[in-house]
Amino acid sequence: MTLISKFKKDIGILQAAANKEIYLDVKNPKLYKKVKRYYQNEIDYNDEDPEADYSLVVECLRQDLEAVK
């Protein structure tokens, strides 16, 4: 399942997070947890550094959303 099909109703929020207009973990923590879970097979999370984890998630979001354009 692609990011777009899984989160189609939240694409605007995800795009804003990818563009660094909002902080997804602050603005919508439930959605952030879902997106983080979506990328769990692609990202090796370091739970001791949440900022690094967030940066990795946002980078993956940016790349996936760019691929759709």
Side-chain angles (χ1 to χ4, degrees):
M1 181 173 279
T2 67
L3 177 80
I4 302 301
S5 63
K6 182 155 180 76
F7 297 104
K8 61 185 165 203
K9 68 178 186 152
D10 299 309
I11 290 301
I13 295 170
L14 296 178
Q15 188 70 52
N19 292 336
K20 299 181 180 177
E21 296 167 5
I22 64 166
Y23 290 101
L24 186 60
D25 57 344
V26 174
K27 177 86 172 165
N28 196 331
K30 283 185 177 182
L31 180 58
Y32 174 64
K33 284 183 182 181
K34 289 177 185 178
V35 172
K36 191 174 174 184
R37 199 173 318 121
Y38 175 80
Y39 286 120
Q40 71 186 3
N41 294 330
E42 296 179 35
I43 298 175
D44 186 23
Y45 293 114
N46 176 6
D47 292 324
E48 294 175 11
D49 189 359
E51 288 181 24
D53 291 348
Y54 181 79
S55 294
L56 290 170
V57 169
V58 169
E59 182 59 26
C60 285
L61 274 175
R62 190 187 62 72
Q63 289 176 6
D64 284 352
L65 292 170
E66 280 292 319
V68 174
K69 287 184 178 179

